[in-house]
Amino acid sequence: MASLKEEVLSRRTFAIISHPDAGKTTLTEKLLLFGGAIRDAGTVKGKKTGKFATSDWMEIEKQRGISVTSSVMQFHYHDCHVNILDTPGHEDFSEDTYRTLMAVDSAVMIIDAAKGIEAQTKKLFKVCKMRGIPIFTFINKLDRQAKPPLELLAELEEVLGIESYPMNWPIGMGKEFFGIYDRFNERIEQFRTEKEEDRFLPLNEEGELAVNHEIKKSALYDQMLEEIMLLEEAGNEFSKERIAEGELTPVFFGSALTNFGVQTFLETYLQFAPPPQPRQSDQGEIDPVNEQFSGFIFKIQANMNPAHRDRIAFFRICSGKFERGMSVTLTRTGKTSKVSQSTQFLADDRSTVNEAVSGDIIGLYDTGNYQIGDTLVGGKPLFQYEKLPQFAPELFVKVSAKNVMKQKSFHKGIEQLVQEGAIQLYKTLHTENYILGAVGQLQFEVFEHRMKGEYNSEVVMEPMGSKIARWIENEEDVKESLSSSRSLLVKDRHGKLVFLFENDFALRWFQDKNEHIKLYHPLDEKSY
């Protein structure tokens, strides 16, 4: 049996981030294919075949072909144990993605070669950079017409402010795409080959093709050699240390849909991606090979199995070893309990997990005890991991049950879906009418869809538009008479008072008139 240290060092846990439709779910599928986790990659686009992407399990995702929840998938490749977290690309679900990025040790950023860096990629990249986690870049869709590769690199460095090192370089693109010049493995990988053994062509010491091939006569080959020479002379130097510090991103070109360049990417990624790293807690840094078991919950998902109406808490192990049946203490409450039901994932396909180590992501069955951000610890001493980001919602709706006779399922549905953290619940002070807040409109649509499909409760939603939510430090000084249509006073689900301001002007006007009331935002902007 391998030692705890060996087990932990074999883990690679990463999130895939990108703008919607850059090919994130497709790349995830292909990586699972190489890991032997699935036999047949179902693509999101292939709706007519009835094949859906392995990582998109929720009904609304299958209908729309988008990812709105973060999935977790695990597989072995060579000597590594890989945990992939496929995040929602849609910006309305960025909060879920931010929390997921807290649970990984590195990130893979996918860029559409024709579109370059898009808004959502920029936002997510910023979070990775802030955490200092290594970022690996996969420039996708080279089998279509795209921006020139040098332009893409310049964009990467200018827009994102990170230096890049191309591990390979495309020869042509679109209909003229011949393949990639693999700088790292010193070979050329052909895009279309009749025989598998002809796929890789060797290079000589000068970095040119060592065999006779018709591509040598092509202008594309000459252009590629010129660009490689330019990269060697004026490009960044390769540095394993700077990759580990998140200051240099290795760049790979390929096409996830046609499965080209994916295996080369995976093998190189596993060489340079970090194993589990130490994490900050209120008792200092916790080493992943520390014998004491600990970790935190970064996501809660209800009804992954509609037949059982279950709730799963996604748990990142940060130190020690998990064994099914062990006793753990929830730091927030000090309560100790036995973990008898635990699971590992391949999207909605799950298997019971008896053992797992630092770096792994496991699912814990939850009867409503856990909250996002909770720390679980085996034994003593107790400690708490860093807080997870929480965002003030920007859009609000009033919500009620369409059928008054179905209040029970309405309340149960709201309670469970709110605990997942995608929507936030507020109540008016005396009438206790429900108000939902979210970062984006799509979250309301998913909420409505799931209430009907999973709880058999149709809802009526009345838009309230965008509001600015502010919590109150000195609640005892707040009088109900301060509540108005422009500064509505409500309670959040934890019973704390919150003002919902109509706009910036209303917020400033309120602060000028009520200087004694100290308002705050739940997320300190300095930290995220």
Side-chain angles (χ1 to χ4, degrees), residues 357-460:
V357 301
S358 189
D360 285 335
I361 308 284
I362 58 172
L364 306 176
Y365 284 84
D366 177 25
T367 52
N369 299 324
Y370 300 139
Q371 291 178 13
I372 288 168
D374 275 347
T375 295
L376 295 178
V377 180
K380 293 273 189 284
L382 293 183
F383 53 86
Q384 175 78 36
Y385 282 107
E386 282 181 296
K387 273 190 150 183
L388 295 189
Q390 186 205 349
F391 296 82
E394 290 155 27
L395 288 178
F396 292 84
V397 295
K398 287 177 183 167
V399 65
S400 55
K402 200 169 187 178
N403 183 344
V404 188
M405 308 304 289
K406 290 191 173 173
Q407 288 288 351
K408 199 175 171 189
S409 54
F410 170 75
H411 288 297
K412 188 182 177 190
I414 281 195
E415 184 193 341
Q416 293 200 352
L417 295 181
V418 161
Q419 282 169 331
E420 292 182 15
I423 50 165
Q424 293 182 27
L425 176 67
Y426 303 88
K427 289 178 188 172
T428 52
L429 292 187
H430 295 298
T431 50
E432 296 222 331
N433 292 332
Y434 281 10
I435 293 172
L436 298 181
V439 177
Q441 182 59 34
L442 183 61
Q443 287 167 305
F444 293 136
E445 291 174 32
V446 171
F447 167 79
E448 187 178 13
H449 183 93
R450 291 185 66 190
M451 283 292 283
K452 189 178 176 184
E454 296 171 19
Y455 298 95
N456 192 22
S457 173
E458 287 192 60
V459 296
V460 179

Side-chain angles (χ1 to χ4, degrees), residues 79 180 274 278 319 434:
D79 298 328
I180 49 173
S319 68
Y434 281 10

